[in-house]
């Protein structure tokens, strides 16, 4: 039996609309067709899982595979397979962990950095075109609010994991 959602009181119409809009944006931005177009524009032949992993590695210090799995909220075995494929393709490399000689961390190669830069630029072009009619101050406000929302979501996800007795992504090995 699955747990019922928490009920802290009535949900405001604004929160319902935010949830609906976020669901639409997520669906549109993660569709297979959009991903294929983005990869074609970037000239990078990677699947969505590989791109998510590359983005995470690019946004952090070299991480252990367990840390990557925690941050991506996937099984460690999935990350291990993905890292092996990305390493064979020259996008990442595994380097020694300075704090534990037996452990390895995943780091972008120069080719991986070029790939993620091309992916981000292709995505930014699409975003720039979609928001072309927006005033700059609205774009700045949206960027600020999205960053704040992403941080709140990340904190909430960490709190949920700790509540279930799981280690937070930063502590996973």
């Amino acid at each position: 039996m699955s747990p019922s959602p928490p009920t802290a009181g009535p949900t405001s119409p604004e929160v319902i609309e935010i949830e609906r809009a976020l669901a639409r944006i997520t669906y549109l931005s993660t569709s297979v067709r959009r991903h294929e177009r983005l990869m074609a524009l970037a000239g990078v032949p990677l699947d969505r899982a590989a791109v998510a992993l590359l983005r995470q590695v690019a946004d952090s210090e070299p991480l252990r595979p367990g840390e990557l799995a925690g941050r991506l909220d996937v099984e460690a075995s999935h990350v291990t397979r993905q890292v092996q494929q990305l390493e064979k393709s020259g996008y990442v490399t595994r380097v020694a962990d300075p704090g534990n000689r037996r452990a390895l961390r995943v780091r972008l190669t120069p080719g991986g950095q070029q790939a993620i830069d091309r992916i981000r630029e292709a995505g930014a072009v699409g975003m720039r075109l979609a928001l072309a009619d927006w005033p700059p101050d609205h774009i700045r406000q949206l960027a600020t609010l999205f960053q704040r929302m992403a941080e709140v979501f990340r904190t909430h996800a960490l709190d949920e994991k700790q509540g279930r007795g799981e280690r937070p992504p930063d502590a996973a090995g």
Side-chain angles (χ1 to χ4, degrees), residues 46 48-74 78-87 90-95 104-117 119-120 154 169-170:
L46 294 173
R48 291 182 290 176
V51 171
L53 193 144
L54 278 182
R55 284 180 184 272
Q56 186 62 59
V57 173
D59 289 342
S60 62
E61 297 291 320
L63 298 170
R64 292 181 184 179
E67 292 170 320
L68 282 167
R71 289 182 182 203
L72 295 168
D73 201 21
V74 298
H78 173 75
V79 168
T80 299
R81 283 190 304 273
Q82 197 67 249
V83 167
Q84 288 169 347
Q85 292 172 345
L86 289 168
E87 192 172 33
Y91 293 109
V92 300
T93 188
R94 288 183 259 199
V95 297
L104 296 173
R105 293 182 177 267
V106 180
R107 182 178 66 200
L108 287 181
T109 62
Q113 186 63 58
Q114 290 172 354
I116 204 67
D117 290 345
I119 291 166
R120 287 179 170 159
R154 183 177 185 283
D170 297 325

Tab-separated table of all heavy atoms in Angstrom, residues 46 48-74 78-87 90-95 104-117 119-120 154 169-170:
chain	number	residue	atom	x	y	z
A	46	LEU	N	24.284	11.490	-27.145
A	46	LEU	CA	24.090	10.913	-25.816
A	46	LEU	C	22.613	10.774	-25.480
A	46	LEU	O	21.792	11.601	-25.900
A	46	LEU	CB	24.761	11.790	-24.753
A	46	LEU	CG	26.279	11.882	-24.816
A	46	LEU	CD1	26.787	12.913	-23.816
A	46	LEU	CD2	26.909	10.521	-24.565
A	48	ARG	N	19.405	10.579	-22.615
A	48	ARG	CA	19.027	11.511	-21.552
A	48	ARG	C	19.726	11.207	-20.232
A	48	ARG	O	20.131	12.124	-19.518
A	48	ARG	CB	17.507	11.521	-21.378
A	48	ARG	CG	16.810	12.158	-22.573
A	48	ARG	CD	15.334	12.218	-22.415
A	48	ARG	NE	14.760	10.875	-22.491
A	48	ARG	CZ	13.481	10.579	-22.319
A	48	ARG	NH1	12.628	11.542	-22.050
A	48	ARG	NH2	13.042	9.364	-22.415
A	49	ALA	N	19.871	9.919	-19.898
A	49	ALA	CA	20.530	9.563	-18.644
A	49	ALA	C	21.989	10.002	-18.653
A	49	ALA	O	22.495	10.501	-17.637
A	49	ALA	CB	20.426	8.056	-18.406
A	50	ALA	N	22.667	9.849	-19.779
A	50	ALA	CA	24.072	10.254	-19.878
A	50	ALA	C	24.197	11.767	-19.737
A	50	ALA	O	25.118	12.262	-19.075
A	50	ALA	CB	24.670	9.791	-21.202
A	51	VAL	N	23.280	12.495	-20.337
A	51	VAL	CA	23.320	13.958	-20.244
A	51	VAL	C	23.091	14.398	-18.801
A	51	VAL	O	23.782	15.289	-18.296
A	51	VAL	CB	22.301	14.610	-21.203
A	51	VAL	CG1	22.187	16.103	-20.954
A	51	VAL	CG2	22.690	14.339	-22.656
A	52	ALA	N	22.146	13.774	-18.118
A	52	ALA	CA	21.888	14.125	-16.712
A	52	ALA	C	23.139	13.888	-15.869
A	52	ALA	O	23.505	14.719	-15.030
A	52	ALA	CB	20.713	13.316	-16.173
A	53	LEU	N	23.819	12.778	-16.109
A	53	LEU	CA	25.032	12.472	-15.353
A	53	LEU	C	26.126	13.474	-15.683
A	53	LEU	O	26.783	13.998	-14.782
A	53	LEU	CB	25.488	11.046	-15.657
A	53	LEU	CG	26.547	10.508	-14.703
A	53	LEU	CD1	26.328	9.028	-14.462
A	53	LEU	CD2	27.938	10.740	-15.226
A	54	LEU	N	26.316	13.777	-16.964
A	54	LEU	CA	27.337	14.761	-17.348
A	54	LEU	C	27.053	16.122	-16.726
A	54	LEU	O	27.970	16.798	-16.250
A	54	LEU	CB	27.416	14.908	-18.861
A	54	LEU	CG	28.224	13.876	-19.632
A	54	LEU	CD1	28.241	14.212	-21.112
A	54	LEU	CD2	29.633	13.751	-19.101
A	55	ARG	N	25.795	16.543	-16.737
A	55	ARG	CA	25.438	17.829	-16.133
A	55	ARG	C	25.793	17.842	-14.644
A	55	ARG	O	26.328	18.824	-14.138
A	55	ARG	CB	23.951	18.125	-16.307
A	55	ARG	CG	23.553	18.582	-17.691
A	55	ARG	CD	22.038	18.849	-17.726
A	55	ARG	NE	21.549	19.204	-19.030
A	55	ARG	CZ	21.503	20.447	-19.506
A	55	ARG	NH1	21.922	21.465	-18.772
A	55	ARG	NH2	21.022	20.687	-20.709
A	56	GLN	N	25.496	16.747	-13.953
A	56	GLN	CA	25.783	16.681	-12.522
A	56	GLN	C	27.278	16.737	-12.272
A	56	GLN	O	27.738	17.452	-11.384
A	56	GLN	CB	25.185	15.407	-11.917
A	56	GLN	CG	25.311	15.346	-10.423
A	56	GLN	CD	24.577	16.473	-9.723
A	56	GLN	OE1	23.379	16.639	-9.865
A	56	GLN	NE2	25.297	17.263	-8.963
A	57	VAL	N	28.054	15.998	-13.047
A	57	VAL	CA	29.512	16.013	-12.879
A	57	VAL	C	30.058	17.406	-13.199
A	57	VAL	O	30.939	17.909	-12.497
A	57	VAL	CB	30.184	14.935	-13.761
A	57	VAL	CG1	31.699	15.059	-13.736
A	57	VAL	CG2	29.760	13.539	-13.303
A	58	ALA	N	29.528	18.040	-14.227
A	58	ALA	CA	30.002	19.370	-14.616
A	58	ALA	C	29.710	20.413	-13.549
A	58	ALA	O	30.448	21.392	-13.417
A	58	ALA	CB	29.368	19.790	-15.943
A	59	ASP	N	28.650	20.217	-12.787
A	59	ASP	CA	28.230	21.196	-11.785
A	59	ASP	C	28.849	20.968	-10.413
A	59	ASP	O	28.445	21.608	-9.436
A	59	ASP	CB	26.704	21.188	-11.644
A	59	ASP	CG	26.012	21.783	-12.852
A	59	ASP	OD1	26.673	22.489	-13.634
A	59	ASP	OD2	24.806	21.520	-13.020
A	60	SER	N	29.803	20.054	-10.314
A	60	SER	CA	30.358	19.745	-8.996
A	60	SER	C	31.832	19.366	-9.105
A	60	SER	O	32.369	19.235	-10.194
A	60	SER	CB	29.577	18.585	-8.373
A	60	SER	OG	29.714	17.426	-9.173
A	61	GLU	N	32.417	19.169	-7.959
A	61	GLU	CA	33.759	18.610	-7.898
A	61	GLU	C	33.654	17.159	-8.368
A	61	GLU	O	32.561	16.606	-8.413
A	61	GLU	CB	34.260	18.650	-6.452
A	61	GLU	CG	34.409	20.038	-5.883
A	61	GLU	CD	35.548	20.808	-6.522
A	61	GLU	OE1	36.609	20.218	-6.768
A	61	GLU	OE2	35.354	22.003	-6.797
A	62	PRO	N	34.785	16.518	-8.664
A	62	PRO	CA	34.690	15.085	-8.972
A	62	PRO	C	33.991	14.341	-7.834
A	62	PRO	O	34.262	14.585	-6.661
A	62	PRO	CB	36.156	14.655	-9.099
A	62	PRO	CG	36.861	15.901	-9.516
A	62	PRO	CD	36.147	17.017	-8.794
A	63	LEU	N	33.044	13.485	-8.204
A	63	LEU	CA	32.220	12.782	-7.216
A	63	LEU	C	32.408	11.280	-7.325
A	63	LEU	O	32.692	10.757	-8.401
A	63	LEU	CB	30.737	13.097	-7.449
A	63	LEU	CG	30.296	14.541	-7.304
A	63	LEU	CD1	28.872	14.718	-7.794
A	63	LEU	CD2	30.410	14.971	-5.852
A	64	ARG	N	32.197	10.585	-6.223
A	64	ARG	CA	32.152	9.129	-6.247
A	64	ARG	C	30.858	8.705	-6.946
A	64	ARG	O	29.854	9.419	-6.882
A	64	ARG	CB	32.163	8.573	-4.827
A	64	ARG	CG	33.453	8.790	-4.089
A	64	ARG	CD	33.349	8.189	-2.716
A	64	ARG	NE	34.544	8.459	-1.942
A	64	ARG	CZ	34.708	8.066	-0.694
A	64	ARG	NH1	33.743	7.408	-0.071
A	64	ARG	NH2	35.822	8.339	-0.056
A	65	PRO	N	30.849	7.532	-7.565
A	65	PRO	CA	29.617	7.060	-8.205
A	65	PRO	C	28.419	7.017	-7.253
A	65	PRO	O	27.305	7.354	-7.647
A	65	PRO	CB	30.002	5.663	-8.704
A	65	PRO	CG	31.466	5.778	-8.977
A	65	PRO	CD	31.987	6.661	-7.870
A	66	GLY	N	28.649	6.641	-5.999
A	66	GLY	CA	27.545	6.625	-5.035
A	66	GLY	C	26.966	8.004	-4.785
A	66	GLY	O	25.758	8.164	-4.603
A	67	GLU	N	27.835	9.014	-4.771
A	67	GLU	CA	27.365	10.391	-4.607
A	67	GLU	C	26.545	10.810	-5.821
A	67	GLU	O	25.499	11.463	-5.678
A	67	GLU	CB	28.549	11.341	-4.432
A	67	GLU	CG	29.296	11.162	-3.130
A	67	GLU	CD	30.609	11.931	-3.076
A	67	GLU	OE1	31.338	11.978	-4.096
A	67	GLU	OE2	30.900	12.484	-2.010
A	68	LEU	N	27.020	10.437	-7.006
A	68	LEU	CA	26.262	10.752	-8.219
A	68	LEU	C	24.893	10.084	-8.185
A	68	LEU	O	23.880	10.711	-8.517
A	68	LEU	CB	27.022	10.295	-9.466
A	68	LEU	CG	28.163	11.178	-9.913
A	68	LEU	CD1	29.026	10.471	-10.959
A	68	LEU	CD2	27.620	12.483	-10.471
A	69	ALA	N	24.849	8.816	-7.791
A	69	ALA	CA	23.574	8.103	-7.715
A	69	ALA	C	22.621	8.805	-6.757
A	69	ALA	O	21.436	8.973	-7.069
A	69	ALA	CB	23.814	6.658	-7.278
A	70	GLY	N	23.130	9.230	-5.616
A	70	GLY	CA	22.285	9.942	-4.654
A	70	GLY	C	21.761	11.251	-5.201
A	70	GLY	O	20.590	11.573	-5.047
A	71	ARG	N	22.626	12.007	-5.851
A	71	ARG	CA	22.207	13.293	-6.399
A	71	ARG	C	21.216	13.137	-7.552
A	71	ARG	O	20.352	13.978	-7.744
A	71	ARG	CB	23.415	14.091	-6.857
A	71	ARG	CG	24.238	14.602	-5.695
A	71	ARG	CD	25.398	15.423	-6.147
A	71	ARG	NE	26.180	15.861	-5.003
A	71	ARG	CZ	26.966	16.904	-5.024
A	71	ARG	NH1	27.104	17.623	-6.113
A	71	ARG	NH2	27.644	17.233	-3.948
A	72	LEU	N	21.363	12.062	-8.315
A	72	LEU	CA	20.461	11.822	-9.436
A	72	LEU	C	19.242	10.999	-9.028
A	72	LEU	O	18.334	10.799	-9.821
A	72	LEU	CB	21.212	11.112	-10.571
A	72	LEU	CG	22.321	11.922	-11.228
A	72	LEU	CD1	23.172	11.030	-12.129
A	72	LEU	CD2	21.741	13.096	-12.015
A	73	ASP	N	19.255	10.514	-7.793
A	73	ASP	CA	18.161	9.701	-7.247
A	73	ASP	C	17.936	8.440	-8.082
A	73	ASP	O	16.808	8.116	-8.460
A	73	ASP	CB	16.877	10.532	-7.126
A	73	ASP	CG	15.899	9.920	-6.127
A	73	ASP	OD1	16.337	9.134	-5.258
A	73	ASP	OD2	14.688	10.211	-6.221
A	74	VAL	N	19.048	7.750	-8.395
A	74	VAL	CA	18.994	6.493	-9.138
A	74	VAL	C	19.851	5.460	-8.407
A	74	VAL	O	20.614	5.795	-7.498
A	74	VAL	CB	19.498	6.649	-10.596
A	74	VAL	CG1	18.618	7.626	-11.375
A	74	VAL	CG2	20.951	7.091	-10.643
A	78	HIS	N	23.174	1.728	-11.856
A	78	HIS	CA	22.850	2.498	-13.061
A	78	HIS	C	23.965	3.496	-13.353
A	78	HIS	O	24.412	3.643	-14.496
A	78	HIS	CB	21.512	3.212	-12.870
A	78	HIS	CG	21.166	4.153	-13.963
A	78	HIS	ND1	20.732	3.728	-15.201
A	78	HIS	CD2	21.219	5.504	-14.028
A	78	HIS	CE1	20.525	4.778	-15.966
A	78	HIS	NE2	20.811	5.864	-15.284
A	79	VAL	N	24.433	4.179	-12.332
A	79	VAL	CA	25.505	5.160	-12.496
A	79	VAL	C	26.794	4.467	-12.926
A	79	VAL	O	27.501	4.955	-13.810
A	79	VAL	CB	25.718	5.984	-11.205
A	79	VAL	CG1	27.004	6.788	-11.263
A	79	VAL	CG2	24.534	6.911	-10.982
A	80	THR	N	27.083	3.332	-12.326
A	80	THR	CA	28.305	2.605	-12.680
A	80	THR	C	28.313	2.254	-14.162
A	80	THR	O	29.322	2.471	-14.856
A	80	THR	CB	28.441	1.327	-11.824
A	80	THR	OG1	28.513	1.722	-10.449
A	80	THR	CG2	29.682	0.534	-12.199
A	81	ARG	N	27.209	1.723	-14.671
A	81	ARG	CA	27.117	1.390	-16.110
A	81	ARG	C	27.258	2.643	-16.973
A	81	ARG	O	27.965	2.643	-17.976
A	81	ARG	CB	25.786	0.688	-16.413
A	81	ARG	CG	25.744	-0.765	-16.005
A	81	ARG	CD	24.505	-1.471	-16.545
A	81	ARG	NE	23.261	-0.821	-16.155
A	81	ARG	CZ	22.602	-1.066	-15.024
A	81	ARG	NH1	23.077	-1.928	-14.151
A	81	ARG	NH2	21.479	-0.445	-14.768
A	82	GLN	N	26.590	3.701	-16.567
A	82	GLN	CA	26.633	4.939	-17.337
A	82	GLN	C	28.045	5.522	-17.358
A	82	GLN	O	28.531	5.971	-18.392
A	82	GLN	CB	25.639	5.936	-16.735
A	82	GLN	CG	25.271	7.075	-17.607
A	82	GLN	CD	24.475	6.643	-18.816
A	82	GLN	OE1	24.982	6.727	-19.908
A	82	GLN	NE2	23.257	6.199	-18.636
A	83	VAL	N	28.717	5.501	-16.216
A	83	VAL	CA	30.089	6.008	-16.136
A	83	VAL	C	30.997	5.182	-17.043
A	83	VAL	O	31.840	5.735	-17.752
A	83	VAL	CB	30.601	6.027	-14.678
A	83	VAL	CG1	32.110	6.234	-14.616
A	83	VAL	CG2	29.883	7.115	-13.883
A	84	GLN	N	30.842	3.871	-17.037
A	84	GLN	CA	31.662	3.010	-17.895
A	84	GLN	C	31.473	3.380	-19.370
A	84	GLN	O	32.445	3.486	-20.125
A	84	GLN	CB	31.321	1.537	-17.672
A	84	GLN	CG	31.799	1.005	-16.347
A	84	GLN	CD	31.243	-0.375	-16.018
A	84	GLN	OE1	30.311	-0.862	-16.658
A	84	GLN	NE2	31.825	-1.008	-15.000
A	85	GLN	N	30.232	3.593	-19.787
A	85	GLN	CA	29.960	3.976	-21.178
A	85	GLN	C	30.540	5.347	-21.503
A	85	GLN	O	31.143	5.540	-22.562
A	85	GLN	CB	28.448	3.950	-21.454
A	85	GLN	CG	27.862	2.566	-21.437
A	85	GLN	CD	26.341	2.581	-21.526
A	85	GLN	OE1	25.690	3.611	-21.336
A	85	GLN	NE2	25.771	1.422	-21.811
A	86	LEU	N	30.361	6.294	-20.586
A	86	LEU	CA	30.880	7.639	-20.824
A	86	LEU	C	32.402	7.654	-20.824
A	86	LEU	O	33.030	8.418	-21.560
A	86	LEU	CB	30.327	8.616	-19.784
A	86	LEU	CG	28.851	8.957	-19.925
A	86	LEU	CD1	28.343	9.696	-18.694
A	86	LEU	CD2	28.599	9.766	-21.184
A	87	GLU	N	33.000	6.799	-20.023
A	87	GLU	CA	34.458	6.710	-19.999
A	87	GLU	C	34.977	6.129	-21.319
A	87	GLU	O	35.937	6.642	-21.896
A	87	GLU	CB	34.906	5.850	-18.817
A	87	GLU	CG	36.387	5.921	-18.541
A	87	GLU	CD	36.766	5.226	-17.251
A	87	GLU	OE1	36.118	4.220	-16.877
A	87	GLU	OE2	37.723	5.702	-16.606
A	90	GLY	N	35.018	8.695	-23.904
A	90	GLY	CA	35.945	9.795	-23.684
A	90	GLY	C	35.359	11.028	-23.030
A	90	GLY	O	35.994	12.091	-23.029
A	91	TYR	N	34.174	10.916	-22.427
A	91	TYR	CA	33.533	12.073	-21.803
A	91	TYR	C	33.912	12.253	-20.337
A	91	TYR	O	33.883	13.362	-19.813
A	91	TYR	CB	32.007	11.976	-21.909
A	91	TYR	CG	31.497	12.091	-23.327
A	91	TYR	CD1	30.979	10.980	-23.988
A	91	TYR	CD2	31.539	13.307	-24.001
A	91	TYR	CE1	30.506	11.085	-25.283
A	91	TYR	CE2	31.067	13.419	-25.295
A	91	TYR	CZ	30.556	12.302	-25.931
A	91	TYR	OH	30.100	12.406	-27.213
A	92	VAL	N	34.196	11.150	-19.640
A	92	VAL	CA	34.584	11.216	-18.235
A	92	VAL	C	35.791	10.326	-18.000
A	92	VAL	O	36.109	9.453	-18.815
A	92	VAL	CB	33.438	10.791	-17.268
A	92	VAL	CG1	32.221	11.681	-17.421
A	92	VAL	CG2	33.087	9.323	-17.417
A	93	THR	N	36.416	10.545	-16.875
A	93	THR	CA	37.503	9.688	-16.425
A	93	THR	C	37.327	9.474	-14.940
A	93	THR	O	36.683	10.279	-14.258
A	93	THR	CB	38.887	10.305	-16.745
A	93	THR	OG1	39.896	9.359	-16.449
A	93	THR	CG2	39.122	11.585	-15.975
A	94	ARG	N	37.877	8.378	-14.458
A	94	ARG	CA	37.836	8.118	-13.024
A	94	ARG	C	39.215	8.458	-12.454
A	94	ARG	O	40.234	8.082	-13.024
A	94	ARG	CB	37.478	6.671	-12.749
A	94	ARG	CG	36.009	6.395	-13.068
A	94	ARG	CD	35.640	4.988	-12.737
A	94	ARG	NE	35.622	4.206	-13.969
A	94	ARG	CZ	35.015	3.049	-14.101
A	94	ARG	NH1	34.387	2.519	-13.072
A	94	ARG	NH2	35.032	2.402	-15.232
A	95	VAL	N	39.194	9.196	-11.356
A	95	VAL	CA	40.436	9.628	-10.711
A	95	VAL	C	40.420	9.182	-9.255
A	95	VAL	O	39.359	8.974	-8.669
A	95	VAL	CB	40.619	11.163	-10.797
A	95	VAL	CG1	40.754	11.613	-12.250
A	95	VAL	CG2	39.464	11.897	-10.129
A	104	LEU	N	37.268	5.831	-6.094
A	104	LEU	CA	37.471	6.632	-7.305
A	104	LEU	C	36.390	7.686	-7.410
A	104	LEU	O	35.283	7.519	-6.903
A	104	LEU	CB	37.430	5.732	-8.544
A	104	LEU	CG	38.542	4.691	-8.651
A	104	LEU	CD1	38.279	3.758	-9.827
A	104	LEU	CD2	39.887	5.369	-8.807
A	105	ARG	N	36.718	8.757	-8.077
A	105	ARG	CA	35.763	9.834	-8.346
A	105	ARG	C	35.649	10.007	-9.851
A	105	ARG	O	36.567	9.677	-10.589
A	105	ARG	CB	36.212	11.133	-7.679
A	105	ARG	CG	36.163	11.059	-6.165
A	105	ARG	CD	36.558	12.381	-5.513
A	105	ARG	NE	36.440	12.287	-4.081
A	105	ARG	CZ	35.356	12.624	-3.392
A	105	ARG	NH1	34.306	13.104	-4.015
A	105	ARG	NH2	35.340	12.510	-2.073
A	106	VAL	N	34.529	10.545	-10.284
A	106	VAL	CA	34.263	10.748	-11.707
A	106	VAL	C	34.472	12.217	-12.028
A	106	VAL	O	33.942	13.099	-11.345
A	106	VAL	CB	32.821	10.318	-12.068
A	106	VAL	CG1	32.547	10.540	-13.545
A	106	VAL	CG2	32.583	8.868	-11.667
A	107	ARG	N	35.239	12.468	-13.079
A	107	ARG	CA	35.549	13.833	-13.502
A	107	ARG	C	35.363	13.934	-15.013
A	107	ARG	O	35.625	12.993	-15.748
A	107	ARG	CB	36.992	14.167	-13.121
A	107	ARG	CG	37.386	15.590	-13.491
A	107	ARG	CD	38.792	15.924	-13.080
A	107	ARG	NE	39.713	15.105	-13.849
A	107	ARG	CZ	40.965	14.853	-13.491
A	107	ARG	NH1	41.459	15.326	-12.385
A	107	ARG	NH2	41.729	14.116	-14.256
A	108	LEU	N	34.932	15.106	-15.475
A	108	LEU	CA	34.824	15.343	-16.913
A	108	LEU	C	36.207	15.378	-17.546
A	108	LEU	O	37.157	15.891	-16.946
A	108	LEU	CB	34.155	16.693	-17.199
A	108	LEU	CG	32.667	16.839	-16.960
A	108	LEU	CD1	32.226	18.247	-17.343
A	108	LEU	CD2	31.869	15.817	-17.718
A	109	THR	N	36.290	14.880	-18.760
A	109	THR	CA	37.500	15.062	-19.563
A	109	THR	C	37.320	16.372	-20.330
A	109	THR	O	36.212	16.935	-20.355
A	109	THR	CB	37.652	13.916	-20.572
A	109	THR	OG1	36.520	13.946	-21.459
A	109	THR	CG2	37.762	12.560	-19.878
A	110	PRO	N	38.359	16.860	-20.995
A	110	PRO	CA	38.151	18.038	-21.855
A	110	PRO	C	37.052	17.798	-22.900
A	110	PRO	O	36.241	18.688	-23.170
A	110	PRO	CB	39.525	18.245	-22.487
A	110	PRO	CG	40.489	17.717	-21.458
A	110	PRO	CD	39.787	16.509	-20.878
A	111	GLY	N	36.997	16.585	-23.446
A	111	GLY	CA	35.927	16.268	-24.404
A	111	GLY	C	34.557	16.287	-23.763
A	111	GLY	O	33.574	16.708	-24.376
A	112	GLY	N	34.463	15.844	-22.512
A	112	GLY	CA	33.197	15.891	-21.783
A	112	GLY	C	32.780	17.321	-21.494
A	112	GLY	O	31.600	17.668	-21.579
A	113	GLN	N	33.749	18.165	-21.152
A	113	GLN	CA	33.447	19.578	-20.907
A	113	GLN	C	32.953	20.250	-22.184
A	113	GLN	O	31.996	21.018	-22.165
A	113	GLN	CB	34.672	20.314	-20.356
A	113	GLN	CG	34.381	21.748	-19.955
A	113	GLN	CD	33.370	21.846	-18.838
A	113	GLN	OE1	33.573	21.291	-17.757
A	113	GLN	NE2	32.270	22.557	-19.063
A	114	GLN	N	33.595	19.947	-23.319
A	114	GLN	CA	33.145	20.501	-24.601
A	114	GLN	C	31.728	20.029	-24.923
A	114	GLN	O	30.896	20.823	-25.383
A	114	GLN	CB	34.103	20.105	-25.724
A	114	GLN	CG	35.445	20.783	-25.645
A	114	GLN	CD	36.431	20.220	-26.662
A	114	GLN	OE1	36.162	19.250	-27.365
A	114	GLN	NE2	37.599	20.856	-26.751
A	115	ALA	N	31.450	18.759	-24.664
A	115	ALA	CA	30.115	18.227	-24.942
A	115	ALA	C	29.066	18.926	-24.090
A	115	ALA	O	28.019	19.350	-24.606
A	115	ALA	CB	30.090	16.720	-24.698
A	116	ILE	N	29.318	19.070	-22.801
A	116	ILE	CA	28.326	19.697	-21.927
A	116	ILE	C	28.170	21.173	-22.277
A	116	ILE	O	27.056	21.711	-22.229
A	116	ILE	CB	28.638	19.457	-20.429
A	116	ILE	CG1	27.371	19.581	-19.582
A	116	ILE	CG2	29.688	20.377	-19.899
A	116	ILE	CD1	26.351	18.524	-19.822
A	117	ASP	N	29.247	21.828	-22.674
A	117	ASP	CA	29.144	23.227	-23.116
A	117	ASP	C	28.254	23.340	-24.354
A	117	ASP	O	27.419	24.251	-24.447
A	117	ASP	CB	30.524	23.816	-23.406
A	117	ASP	CG	31.366	24.033	-22.158
A	117	ASP	OD1	30.819	23.999	-21.034
A	117	ASP	OD2	32.596	24.228	-22.315
A	119	ILE	N	25.887	21.212	-25.286
A	119	ILE	CA	24.512	20.879	-24.880
A	119	ILE	C	23.863	22.086	-24.210
A	119	ILE	O	22.718	22.440	-24.517
A	119	ILE	CB	24.506	19.646	-23.941
A	119	ILE	CG1	24.907	18.388	-24.716
A	119	ILE	CG2	23.153	19.481	-23.267
A	119	ILE	CD1	25.255	17.195	-23.830
A	120	ARG	N	24.589	22.721	-23.319
A	120	ARG	CA	24.035	23.890	-22.621
A	120	ARG	C	23.775	25.039	-23.584
A	120	ARG	O	22.768	25.732	-23.465
A	120	ARG	CB	24.969	24.318	-21.492
A	120	ARG	CG	24.915	23.366	-20.323
A	120	ARG	CD	25.839	23.777	-19.222
A	120	ARG	NE	25.574	22.964	-18.030
A	120	ARG	CZ	26.428	22.792	-17.064
A	120	ARG	NH1	27.610	23.386	-17.079
A	120	ARG	NH2	26.116	22.037	-16.028
A	154	ARG	N	15.550	20.630	-3.719
A	154	ARG	CA	16.710	19.811	-3.331
A	154	ARG	C	16.716	19.601	-1.822
A	154	ARG	O	16.915	18.484	-1.346
A	154	ARG	CB	18.011	20.478	-3.773
A	154	ARG	CG	19.244	19.654	-3.466
A	154	ARG	CD	20.515	20.325	-4.002
A	154	ARG	NE	21.673	19.496	-3.814
A	154	ARG	CZ	22.320	19.336	-2.660
A	154	ARG	NH1	21.926	19.984	-1.593
A	154	ARG	NH2	23.379	18.555	-2.576
A	169	PRO	N	22.846	12.558	-0.492
A	169	PRO	CA	23.769	12.358	-1.603
A	169	PRO	C	25.199	12.750	-1.299
A	169	PRO	O	26.125	12.101	-1.731
A	169	PRO	CB	23.204	13.226	-2.724
A	169	PRO	CG	21.782	13.427	-2.383
A	169	PRO	CD	21.695	13.354	-0.876
A	170	ASP	N	25.427	13.792	-0.547
A	170	ASP	CA	26.774	14.237	-0.270
A	170	ASP	C	27.529	13.271	0.642
A	170	ASP	O	28.735	13.306	0.730
A	170	ASP	CB	26.765	15.630	0.352
A	170	ASP	CG	26.197	16.662	-0.596
A	170	ASP	OD1	26.409	16.547	-1.814
A	170	ASP	OD2	25.522	17.572	-0.113
